Amino acid sequence: MPASAKLIAYLDAQAAESDRWKAKNRYYYESIERILRFHVPPGASVLEIGCGTGDLLNALAPGRGVGMDVSPKMAERARARYPGLTFIAGDAEELRLSEKFDYIILSDVVGYLEDIQRAFEQLRKVCHSRTRVIVTYYNYLWEPVLRLGERLGMKRPQPEQNWLPLLSAFCNRVLSGLPLLRKLCLVQLVVARPAPVPVSEDSISCSVIVPARNERGNIEGAVARTPRMGRHTELIFVEGNSSDGTAEEIERVIAANPGRDIKLVRQGIGVGKGDAMRKGFAAANGDILIILDGDLTVPPEDLPKFFSALASGGGEFINGSRLVYPMEEQAMRFLNTLGNKFFSVAFTWLLDQPFRDTLCGTKALCRKDYERIAAGRSYFGDFDPFGDFDLIFGAAKLDLKIVEVPIRYRERKYGTTQISRFRHGWLLLRMCFFALRRIKFA
């Protein structure tokens, strides 16, 4: 059902007053811009439904920006204000666009729609497989306060959210994430993706990256136990200047397995698993990238679970979880277990989604998504020596669907752990505080 003539006339009449109301409620509108800038990287293609006079769309710095509003006068003012963007008068329930967008924004617009279901069905026309639809709308618990604001002249007299400046930035960015209090937030934000379409596993290839430093005794097992997945599976060992002959063992195993696609990448002057992982990803040719720790404490036989989760569309970033099944007795020391549980709680709060295990070395994602994470790495910095937080933070910022796959964690059979519980634990804690600033206080 198209928008009513009464609604269009009302919004046309409001066009001239838009700037005055935005100035009066500037804190609220700036907060919405800040939130959306976290989710929408500059240079993306963006469609905003209900764009008003175009201020929010312009603030997102899109490479291709299209704004649509049911009010012709709103669209006209937006065109005059931002000639570098495209603005059209149109109805979300009768969408007449044919191009695809990376992001579709519906900010404070759901309340105007005559038929919400039809509007969201229409959005399929402008979505590709990686499109994200971002919806903001006010919490209905605040309805009495908002109505009071209208009567006092503090809020525009229409069902659009505006901020009543009573709470500090600390409350909005920190307390708002706490249990119970989060239910009282004025603004609700939802990031959605198109329903996934499963891909035939036989049509996609896979690269398994194995960082290996002083893992000579595990190389042959890694090759023998890693299943073939998809159309083609390549194994990439990134050797980290070992002192036990790991590089020579990798070369021997390559020669002994001419039927397997195995590569040796030397880490060179780089240090740490994170650096090794990135060098392995750079050398990979597979559609799907999977990390397997060289200590084989995560069984290589479990890797098809990660591959299938991506191929089925069930997730876009697959994170292993070691804290579901019982572990072998010496697999994880007590303090390590406590540290893992602490970081899982911290990440659940930081990223607003549940995590059981942030430090499991086995992770999987599509190569195209990794390239997007790498392109935006500067946002969180490039100082993660392990690579786990780097990938998780990057996946969360891209709003990838994160799914955890339970795995059975085994005791190391060869070599010794290269993790220092206290030194590396302190480093990981510092990284969490850095992410806190970039996520909650950006």
Side-chain angles (χ1 to χ4, degrees), residues 201 227-229 290 300-309:
E201 294 189 10
R228 299 176 189 266
M229 293 168 281
I290 303 178
E301 293 84 357
D302 283 346
L303 298 186
K305 297 177 182 178
F306 293 76
F307 183 84
S308 295

Side-chain angles (χ1 to χ4, degrees), residues 175-194:
L175 297 185
S176 63
L178 298 179
L180 299 181
L181 290 179
R182 65 184 300 142
K183 301 296 184 182
L184 302 177
C185 292
L186 172 61
V187 177
Q188 303 291 314
L189 180 139
V190 174
V191 181
R193 62 172 180 149

Side-chain angles (χ1 to χ4, degrees), residues 120-306:
F120 277 87
E121 289 172 349
Q122 291 284 300
L123 292 183
R124 290 181 178 274
K125 299 176 181 178
V126 291
C127 290
H128 55 68
S129 62
R130 286 294 187 266
T131 297
R132 291 298 178 267
V133 179
I134 303 179
V135 179
T136 69
Y137 197 57
Y138 74 89
N139 186 342
Y140 193 73
L141 290 174
W142 282 77
E143 181 73 8
V145 178
L146 297 177
R147 293 304 180 192
L148 177 62
E150 290 180 6
R151 295 185 180 184
L152 296 177
M154 300 174 68
K155 176 188 178 296
R156 187 190 314 212
Q158 59 188 48
E160 180 177 348
Q161 307 168 46
N162 284 275
W163 175 253
L164 306 181
L166 303 176
L167 300 176
S168 68
F170 174 78
C171 293
N172 286 319
R173 302 185 189 187
V174 178
L175 297 185
S176 63
L178 298 179
L180 299 181
L181 290 179
R182 65 184 300 142
K183 301 296 184 182
L184 302 177
C185 292
L186 172 61
V187 177
Q188 303 291 314
L189 180 139
V190 174
V191 181
R193 62 172 180 149
V197 178
V199 176
S200 169
E201 294 189 10
D202 292 336
S203 68
I204 51 178
S205 57
C206 176
S207 297
V208 178
I209 290 83
V210 187
R213 182 172 183 271
N214 293 327
E215 302 288 2
R216 178 177 57 84
N218 293 320
I219 302 303
E220 188 167 21
V223 173
R225 295 171 57 191
T226 298
R228 299 176 189 266
M229 293 168 281
R231 186 182 73 249
H232 179 76
T233 300
E234 67 173 352
L235 266 169
I236 301 175
F237 289 96
V238 184
E239 193 282 314
N241 304 305
S242 304
S243 59
D244 70 342
T246 297
E248 292 76 13
E249 176 65 4
I250 294 171
E251 291 175 336
R252 185 194 70 79
V253 171
I254 290 175
N257 292 271
R260 299 295 300 267
D261 184 358
I262 308 171
K263 296 178 182 176
L264 167 60
V265 175
R266 296 182 184 270
Q267 192 168 354
I269 61 173
V271 176
K273 178 190 167 184
D275 177 78
M277 177 197 73
R278 292 173 199 134
K279 287 176 177 171
F281 282 177
N285 295 309
D287 301 310
I288 287 178
L289 308 176
I290 303 178
I291 308 167
L292 174 68
D293 280 346
D295 58 13
L296 303 189
T297 50
V298 173
E301 293 84 357
D302 283 346
L303 298 186
K305 297 177 182 178
F306 293 76

Side-chain angles (χ1 to χ4, degrees), residues 298-358:
V298 173
E301 293 84 357
D302 283 346
L303 298 186
K305 297 177 182 178
F306 293 76
F307 183 84
S308 295
L310 286 170
S312 68
E316 296 168 317
F317 182 87
I318 314 303
N319 186 59
S321 178
R322 302 164 295 177
L323 303 179
V324 176
Y325 297 129
M327 302 180 196
E328 292 186 349
E329 186 174 351
Q330 299 300 318
M332 186 182 295
R333 291 174 289 183
F334 177 70
L335 288 180
N336 292 50
T337 302
L338 289 182
N340 274 283
K341 290 184 179 295
F342 166 79
F343 285 115
S344 69
V345 172
F347 271 59
T348 296
W349 175 71
L350 272 174
L351 303 178
D352 290 322
Q353 53 187 306
F355 278 91
R356 283 183 177 271
D357 186 1
T358 60

Side-chain angles (χ1 to χ4, degrees), residues 76-115:
E76 180 182 353
R77 291 178 72 89
R79 281 193 293 270
R81 182 169 295 181
Y82 304 112
L85 303 174
T86 300
F87 295 96
I88 57 176
D91 193 331
E93 297 169 48
E94 300 289 344
L95 202 56
R96 302 186 187 280
L97 294 171
S98 57
E99 62 182 299
K100 311 291 186 182
F101 295 88
D102 299 328
Y103 294 88
I104 301 173
I105 310 297
L106 294 92
S107 182
D108 302 343
V109 75
V110 172
Y112 291 101
L113 300 174
E114 293 284 340
D115 188 333

